[in-house]
Amino acid sequence: MTQSVVSKRSFLKRALSKQVKEAGNWVNVLESRATNNAEDIAFSFLSDGEVVTRKITYLELSLRVKALAVDLLKHACPGDRAILLMPNGIDYIIGLFACFYSGIIAVTAYPPLHKKRDWKRINSMLSDSAPSVLLSDSKLLEKVHIWQQENAPRCHLAEVGKEDLSLTDNWQMPVINTESIAYLQYSSGSTGDPKGVMLSHKNLLHNVCLSCQFYNVSDKDSLVSWLPMYHDMGLIGSILNPIYSGNKAWLIPPAVILQKPFLWLKAISDFKATVSAGPNFIFEHCVNRVSDTQKHTIDLSSWRCAINGAEPIKVKTLSDFTKAFAVSGLSDTVLSPSYGMAESSLFIAGTPTNEQPISLKADREDYKNSKIQINDSGISIASSGVLNNAMDVKIVNTKISQALPDDTVGEILVKGDSVARGYWNKKELSNTTFNNYVNGEGGYLNTGDLGFIHDNNLYICGRNKEVIIVNGRNHFPQDIEATIQSVDTALTDHGGAVFSVNANEDGEQQIIAVQELSRAAAKQKDHQALIEQLRQAVAEVHEINLTTVILVAPMTLNKTTSGKIQRFLSKEKFINDELKIIDQWHKPQITSRYDLNQGITLVATKKLPSLRANEPKLIEAWIITWVSQQLEIDPNKLKPGQELINLGLDSVDAMMLINELATQLNVNIDPEQIWQYPSIKDISLYLSSLDKKEQSSESMLEGEI
C-alpha cells in the first residue's frame, strides 16, 4: 500500500469519524431535518406506482414518531425488541424511527401474507429476539392479531398510523449513543438457525456517510425506490440515506414493480430521479418486460446512479440494460455495480458515478486454480466496484490467516466502523464471523464470499458459504433440504445436499438437489411421482424452481466424520458425473418459445387467447398455457385442480402472472386476495366474478424479493 493511499484512507476515516460524532444517533438526524426542513416533503408513496397517494413532511414524520414512541414505552422498556410486521410504506418508516426514539431495538421484518414460509420465518425471529412489541398497520393488523394470540400472547400489538399526536409533548430523548443498537436485521432465508445482525447507530451513520460521499449524494438528489424496507439495501438506501442527505424520495410497493417493471423506470422519468437501485434480476426483468414502445415514452437522462447489488452481477445484464434503454436517454455511465452486505451495514465497494462499469476476462484454467491471468478468450467477470478508503478489505487465505496478493482468489474479509457488532445472542458465532485475524491483526469480518482484487477493483467469484441467492433473497440449503426430507420417508433424513451451479458464462444459475433414498425406496424402479412431490414442496415453501433433482443410493452422500453434509464435494461430483444415481429429473430445455397464435388449445404452437371476464374455463386454459410457457413444461401435465403455489412459480413469476391477468381482464388484482384461492380452478372462478376495476390498487400489498 502506497503512502498516498494510506494518507487518503487516514484522512477519510477522520472525516467520517467527525461526521458520525456530530450526528451522534439517528434521532438527532431526523430532529435536525424536522427543525431545518420542517415543511419539506420527506417521503412520497405511490401505491400504484404512478400516483402519489400519501406524503409526509419532516415535521409530521417527527411528530408521529414521537407520539408512537411515547405509546410504545407504556408496553416496553428501552433495550426491548419490537418486530415490524407491515408492508413497505410511510408507516414502516414511522414504526422504525419510533423504535429509535424510544430506545427500543427494532427487528426489521416484512408483511407475513398467505405463505407458510413467511410465518415460519417470523416464528424463528420471534423465538430468537424475544420481542415485547409487535408493530403492524391497519391492512395486516387482524391477520397479525390472530397469529399473535397463538404465538406471542404476551407481546403488545401496536397499530402504526393511528398515533395520538397529543402525546408528542410527553416525549423525552432516549438515553442512547453511537454504540447503542438501532435494529436487528435477520437473514431473509434462514428458519432453522436465525441470525440477527446487530447494527448500531454508529455502524449505520458511518455507512450512510461513506456511501453518500462515494456516490456524491446530496440534498440536490432525488430517489425512487421499490426495494423491501426490511432488507439492508432498501432500509438504508431508501429510508436512512434520504433522511441523512435530505434528498426527496418516492417509494413504490415491490409487488407493483415486479408486476410492471416499466413503472419503476416511468417513476424515475416522471420525478426526474437521480438515484435508484436494485438487484441484478430487476435490470434483467426490465430488459425482458419493457416494450420498445414504452422505451420511447420515458426520459431516463436524469438518472445518474443506478446501483446494482444484492446478488451476483452479470456482465451480460449490464450490457443488455445499457443498450436497451439508450433510446430512453440512459447514459452508459449510469449503472454502478456494487458490493455489500448486512453484516457491514450495506456498502463495501461500488462503481464511482460518471464511470462505466468494467469487467475483465480471465484464463479459465488459471481461474480454476484461483489465479487471475488476463485472457481475451477467457471467462468474463464483472467488477463489483472500486474499494473505498474508509474500510479495510483484504483477500485472505483463512487457513493461515494471511492476506493474498492481487489477482489471487481468496475469501473476502472486511474491517471498519460500518461492520456490525455481531449476531444477537450468538457470542461464539459472532466471534468466529466478526473477529478474524489477518497478518496478526484481529477484528475482520469474514463475508463468506470469494473474490480477488485487480487494479483496486473488487471482483466476486462466488460464495464460500453455502447460501443460495435467488431474486436477491438468501436461501439456506439446510432449510431446503429439510423441506425435501419432510415429503416422504423414502427420502432419508440428513441425506440431502442442495447447491447452485452456473450453467454458462453469463452466470445463469441452476439449483440442484441431491437426495439419498431409503433402502426400500432404492429398490423401486420409478421415482418420478416422488420427485414431483418434492419439487412442489420446495416451490411452496421456498418459492424456488429446482433445475435438477438427483436421487442417489443410500449412504452415498458425502459427509464429514462428524456427520456434516459436504455440499461442495457433492457439487464437484455432480459436475464431474460421479454421483451414484438411481433416478433423476431435469428441467426441460426448450430452445424456442411457443408460437403465439389465437386459440385456446393447449398445444405448444398455439398462442395465449385474449381473455374475457365471466368465462372461468377460458381463464383456466389461459393460466395453464401461461404457466406451461413460463416454466417450460408440458401444458397437458397441468390440471385445473392443481395449486399454483406448488407448480414452481417464484415471486417474480407470480407477480408477472398477476399483472398479465389484470391486464387481460382489465381489473386491479390484490396479490393477497387472489392467493386466498389456491388452485387454478378457484382463481379462475374468483377472477371471472370480478367487475372491471372493482379492486382498488391502493389495497395492494407487496410481495417479497
Side-chain angles (χ1 to χ4, degrees):
M1 188 183 300
T2 66
Q3 186 63 38
S4 62
V5 171
V6 173
S7 179
K8 285 180 181 178
R9 177 170 291 176
S10 179
F11 175 79
L12 180 56
K13 284 183 177 180
R14 288 196 303 271
L16 287 172
S17 179
K18 182 180 178 182
Q19 287 177 280
V20 171
K21 186 175 181 180
E22 288 175 349
N25 56 64
W26 283 95
V27 177
N28 291 342
V29 174
L30 180 53
E31 283 303 287
S32 176
R33 289 289 168 206
T35 300
N36 300 317
N37 307 83
E39 299 306 319
D40 290 353
I41 302 298
F43 297 95
S44 299
F45 188 68
L46 293 73
S47 60
D48 65 353
E50 297 185 84
V51 179
V52 175
T53 52
R54 187 180 175 188
K55 52 190 176 182
I56 192 168
T57 65
Y58 281 110
L59 178 58
E60 184 185 357
L61 179 59
S62 170
L63 293 174
R64 290 194 170 277
V65 164
K66 287 176 180 175
L68 181 56
V70 171
D71 184 64
L72 293 182
L73 287 174
K74 296 176 183 177
H75 310 280
C77 298
D80 286 353
R81 276 73 59 206
I83 297 185
L84 280 68
L85 300 171
M86 62 185 90
N88 268 30
I90 290 172
D91 285 340
Y92 200 103
I93 301 170
I94 292 171
L96 177 70
F97 269 82
C99 292
F100 295 171
Y101 272 56
S102 60
I104 292 172
I105 299 172
V107 179
T108 57
Y110 43 85
L113 301 178
H114 63 288
K115 303 161 191 167
K116 297 176 184 177
R117 183 201 65 227
D118 289 348
W119 288 114
K120 189 174 181 180
R121 289 180 187 159
I122 294 297
N123 282 335
S124 68
M125 293 164 63
L126 178 78
S127 176
D128 191 66
S129 63
S132 299
V133 175
L134 310 175
L135 294 170
S136 194
D137 64 358
S138 59
K139 294 177 182 177
L140 281 176
L141 195 68
E142 183 178 352
K143 185 177 292 245
V144 173
H145 176 68
I146 294 171
W147 168 81
Q148 175 218 8
Q149 294 300 302
E150 181 178 345
N151 296 278
R154 296 183 180 179
C155 288
H156 171 66
L157 177 57
E159 181 178 356
V160 184
K162 294 289 182 69
E163 294 77 37
D164 179 359
L165 296 183
S166 67
L167 296 176
T168 57
D169 291 338
N170 298 331
W171 177 77
Q172 294 181 344
M173 182 73 181
V175 181
I176 57 174
N177 55 43
T178 56
E179 300 299 333
S180 300
I181 300 174
Y183 64 76
L184 307 180
Q185 183 185 320
Y186 281 84
S187 163
S188 60
S190 178
T191 56
D193 184 25
K195 296 185 287 292
V197 180
M198 298 186 290
L199 280 305
S200 70
H201 286 261
K202 178 181 180 179
N203 297 146
L204 299 168
L205 283 167
H206 182 270
N207 204 251
V208 167
C209 291
L210 174 60
S211 61
C212 283
Q213 182 185 76
F214 186 90
Y215 294 114
N216 297 315
V217 176
S218 71
D219 58 0
K220 306 298 182 186
D221 282 296
S222 52
L223 169 86
V224 166
S225 178
W226 58 274
L227 296 167
M229 290 178 175
Y230 66 87
H231 186 271
D232 50 1
M233 199 173 182
L235 197 157
I236 295 175
S238 62
I239 299 179
L240 300 186
N241 198 310
I243 290 176
Y244 181 84
S245 61
N247 58 49
K248 297 178 180 178
W250 285 269
L251 309 174
I252 306 172
V256 171
I257 302 307
L258 290 179
Q259 290 183 67
K260 301 179 181 179
F262 171 68
L263 293 181
W264 177 38
L265 306 181
K266 184 176 185 298
I268 292 170
S269 174
D270 289 348
F271 300 108
K272 306 301 178 188
T274 58
V275 180
S276 196
N280 189 84
F281 84 83
I282 197 63
F283 296 95
E284 290 182 343
H285 203 37
C286 286
V287 171
N288 296 329
R289 300 284 295 173
V290 177
S291 69
D292 289 339
T293 300
Q294 289 174 322
K295 291 172 188 173
H296 285 89
T297 66
I298 54 176
D299 177 9
L300 300 179
S301 60
S302 65
W303 199 1
R304 67 172 187 83
C305 183
I307 298 170
N308 180 338
E311 62 182 359
I313 297 166
K314 302 176 186 176
V315 174
K316 185 175 185 297
T317 302
L318 301 175
S319 173
D320 288 351
F321 187 83
T322 300
K323 289 177 182 177
F325 295 98
V327 296
S328 306
L330 186 77
S331 167
D332 60 5
T333 62
V334 169
L335 283 174
S336 176
S338 301
Y339 173 71
M341 60 194 313
E343 284 84 349
S344 65
S345 297
L346 176 62
F347 172 75
I348 293 176
T351 303
T353 53
N354 299 319
E355 293 187 15
Q356 291 184 354
I358 64 173
S359 61
L360 57 73
K361 291 189 175 182
D363 183 85
R364 285 177 173 80
E365 291 306 313
D366 284 325
Y367 182 62
K368 290 178 182 178
N369 295 310
S370 299
K371 295 291 184 183
I372 303 301
Q373 293 288 342
I374 305 301
N375 185 329
D376 289 341
S377 61
I379 184 171
S380 294
I381 310 173
S383 164
S384 288
V386 301
L387 302 177
N388 71 77
N389 286 319
M391 299 174 75
D392 187 7
V393 179
K394 294 190 183 303
I395 307 301
V396 180
N397 179 341
T398 54
K399 293 180 180 178
I400 58 174
S401 300
Q402 294 292 311
L404 295 168
D406 288 1
D407 296 326
T408 307
V409 177
E411 296 187 51
I412 303 170
L413 271 66
V414 182
K415 185 176 183 179
D417 286 345
S418 289
V419 175
R421 293 178 52 177
Y423 296 120
W424 179 258
N425 280 341
K426 288 181 169 54
K427 197 169 185 179
E428 185 177 343
L429 180 61
S430 294
N431 188 55
T432 57
T433 303
F434 291 87
N435 190 28
N436 291 271
Y437 280 78
V438 180
N439 298 345
E441 182 182 345
Y444 283 87
L445 162 70
N446 189 329
T447 66
D449 288 320
L450 298 172
F452 64 92
I453 295 171
H454 178 83
D455 287 344
N456 203 41
N457 273 256
L458 180 63
Y459 292 79
I460 311 301
C461 300
R463 297 288 294 174
N464 189 36
K465 292 181 180 178
E466 297 162 335
V467 171
I468 297 168
I469 304 176
V470 179
N471 292 337
R473 182 191 299 146
N474 291 341
H475 296 270
F476 291 79
Q478 56 267 34
D479 292 340
I480 304 171
E481 291 156 9
T483 297
I484 289 173
Q485 289 151 24
S486 69
V487 168
D488 195 285
T489 55
L491 306 169
T492 60
D493 289 338
H494 198 60
V498 174
F499 49 84
S500 65
V501 298
N502 287 337
N504 52 45
E505 290 186 11
D506 292 330
E508 296 296 331
Q509 185 176 219
Q510 295 182 342
I511 311 299
I512 315 298
V514 178
Q515 174 62 46
E516 286 181 351
L517 288 170
S518 67
R519 294 190 183 279
K523 297 176 182 178
Q524 299 173 8
K525 292 184 178 181
D526 186 3
H527 304 87
Q528 291 303 305
L530 180 62
I531 289 175
E532 184 174 351
Q533 276 185 281
L534 75 83
R535 285 175 48 227
Q536 289 182 351
V538 171
E540 178 179 358
V541 178
H542 305 280
E543 286 189 321
I544 287 180
N545 297 320
L546 292 174
T547 311
T548 295
V549 178
I550 295 179
L551 301 180
V552 297
M555 308 297 289
T556 60
L557 191 73
N558 289 94
K559 301 177 184 179
T560 66
T561 53
S562 61
K564 293 181 180 178
I565 303 296
Q566 293 182 299
R567 296 184 182 88
F568 287 107
L569 184 54
S570 296
K571 177 177 178 176
E572 189 176 315
K573 286 194 169 185
F574 166 76
I575 293 171
N576 295 328
D577 243 354
E578 296 174 350
L579 295 169
K580 294 184 179 180
I581 300 173
I582 291 179
D583 208 342
Q584 58 188 310
W585 171 89
H586 301 276
K587 180 180 178 181
Q589 297 297 311
I590 297 179
T591 56
S592 60
R593 306 300 290 177
Y594 298 119
D595 178 25
L596 303 180
N597 294 314
Q598 287 294 336
I600 72 168
T601 306
L602 301 183
V603 178
T605 56
K606 295 298 180 180
K607 189 170 186 174
L608 291 167
S610 295
L611 279 181
R612 293 184 295 276
N614 304 317
E615 295 189 34
K617 289 295 183 183
L618 184 64
I619 298 175
E620 274 182 20
W622 191 97
I623 293 175
I624 287 173
T625 308
W626 189 94
V627 171
S628 71
Q629 293 187 12
Q630 191 65 25
L631 300 183
E632 298 181 337
I633 58 179
D634 182 354
N636 295 298
K637 291 185 177 180
L638 302 178
K639 307 300 179 185
Q642 287 179 282
E643 294 190 6
L644 272 178
I645 198 170
N646 291 337
L647 297 178
L649 296 177
D650 63 22
S651 56
V652 176
D653 293 331
M655 292 301 104
M656 288 169 57
L657 172 59
I658 291 172
N659 176 59
E660 294 289 348
L661 287 167
T663 301
Q664 289 283 339
L665 296 171
N666 193 28
V667 295
N668 289 317
I669 302 173
D670 183 338
E672 166 66 358
Q673 184 67 24
I674 194 172
W675 295 119
Q676 301 299 319
Y677 306 89
S679 73
I680 296 174
K681 180 178 180 180
D682 291 337
I683 290 174
S684 301
L685 288 170
Y686 166 68
L687 292 177
S688 67
S689 69
L690 292 178
D691 293 327
K692 290 184 178 182
K693 299 302 180 183
E694 175 186 296
Q695 301 279 333
S696 169
S697 61
E698 292 185 21
S699 67
M700 183 176 294
L701 297 177
E702 71 263 38
E704 274 194 84
I705 300 299

